[in-house]
Amino acid sequence: MFQRLIASIREFIDGVRGELKKVSFPTRAETVGATTVVIVFCILMSLYLSMMDSVLGWLMRKVI
């Protein structure tokens, strides 16, 4: 029973190593580019939502 456990753990580790060899990690330039896009998008969306909140708040004050 103990040998089966060791064999299954060894098989699992070999499988993990095999899968990690298939992984393609992004380059530094790709990571910086993607991060920049996300940050710019977040800033633009926060400005848009802030503007919409102000406009709708102003509109609700005029209605009420």
Side-chain angles (χ1 to χ4, degrees):
M1 182 174 138
F2 187 66
Q3 289 179 350
R4 261 189 4 214
L5 177 64
I6 290 176
S8 66
I9 291 172
R10 194 171 283 157
E11 181 183 348
F12 173 76
I13 290 173
D14 288 341
V16 169
R17 284 184 183 154
E19 290 298 320
L20 280 175
K21 289 179 183 177
K22 297 177 188 178
V23 174
S24 64
F25 294 98
T27 64
R28 181 176 177 86
E30 291 172 336
T31 304
V32 169
T35 303
T36 303
V37 168
V38 169
I39 290 172
V40 168
F41 179 76
C42 287
I43 291 171
L44 291 175
M45 286 306 296
S46 66
L47 291 172
Y48 172 74
L49 290 174
S50 175
M51 183 182 69
M52 292 277 71
D53 183 50
S54 296
V55 168
L56 291 174
W58 174 81
L59 186 63
M60 290 304 294
R61 282 191 300 273
K62 290 293 182 183
V63 170
I64 295 176

